Amino acid sequence: MEDVIILGTGCAGFTAAIYTARANLNPLILEGKQPGGQLTTTSEVENFPGFPEGIDGYDLMDRLRKQAVKFGARVENAYVDKVDFSDPVKVLYAGERKFEARTVIIATGAAPRLLNIPGETEMFGGKGVTTCATCDGAFYRDMEVVVVGGGDSACEEALFLTRFCSKVTLVHRRDELRASKIMADRTLAHEKITPLWDSAVKEVLPDQEGKAQSILVENLKTGKESEVSCKGVFIAIGHIPNTSAFKDIIALDENGYFISEPGSMVKTSIPGVFVAGDCADHVYRQAITAAGMGCQSAIEAERWLAELN
Ligand code: NAP
């Protein structure tokens, strides 16, 4: 049986691993479907303390992984889809595989939210609809694209796409961006970016080959519909926490985020099970806050194990 199992290899998971490894708890990290977490799909990270020149998201995660492994953390690929936390020994299942631990740190992150409109899933992947400009932006060189959303992610995607694309239309359902002022100002000042306010995307329309050709947009104030031609549709409307394996087992809020116990952000309704990062935090959702929660959860796990002994 393991002392500590950590689920997830984003900033939260690896920070928890660094701390628990340095506390000689020999943590086992189970890596899910997105090794390295969301930062591996972002470009430059400018706000992680200690990197005045910025750092590539993938590089940052690679450094965190090396740091955790250096102190003895073990990483295995296993996507946990079922758990049994009814006994003091916590049981986790990844398909046919079974793991047991005295304490568990859940740092499973969040996944991009989708619009759920016709054409979206049909053209997802190589046919024009995507949630990752860093991954797919270069495929749209000299083409017109749209970005959907009004937060920091949408602004970041739009700005990144200006490196490749001839025109970026930013479609937002209100007439004011949710993004931080610095990002909003930078985005709206860019000559290649045109905002389309008060607008909802109703459908992605295909060309004869089944690839995205345009979007159908409704103006939410006038009800008028129009088509915007685009080869790429980049959806950046927030995230859904990866917590489905814990539904009805650990207390979750109505959006699926873990509810923390009074007095600690990282304690769950199950003693000995801790949470960290975007699966538990819909307010701050930063790499550095996820790392901070990873540290907190590791310290709580250490205290929990000390009390058991
Ligand atoms: P977010 O802040 O929740 O913004 C989501 C955006 O999508 C909002 O503008 C929202 O519109 C819109 N939206 C949501 N559901 C929609 C729907 N069904 N149809 C159309 N539009 C929809 O998400 P985020 O941009 O991913 O950012 C998440 C967190 O990460 C934030 O705290 C952000 O500051 C942070 N972040 C920081 C950076 C950075 O600092 N470099 C980069 C990326 C993200 P409304 O505004 O009308 O609600």
Side-chain angles (χ1 to χ4, degrees), residues 47 115 150-153 156 172-174 178 237 285-286:
N47 51 12
L115 291 162
D152 278 319
S153 297
E156 195 174 63
H172 184 34
R173 62 185 178 183
R174 295 186 293 128
R178 177 180 291 280
I237 57 168
R285 293 184 290 193
Q286 301 298 302

Side-chain angles (χ1 to χ4, degrees), residues 18-33:
I18 291 165
Y19 273 76
T20 49
R22 291 192 75 251
N24 280 337
L25 295 175
N26 192 25
L28 173 65
I29 318 173
L30 300 182
E31 187 161 55
K33 290 179 180 169

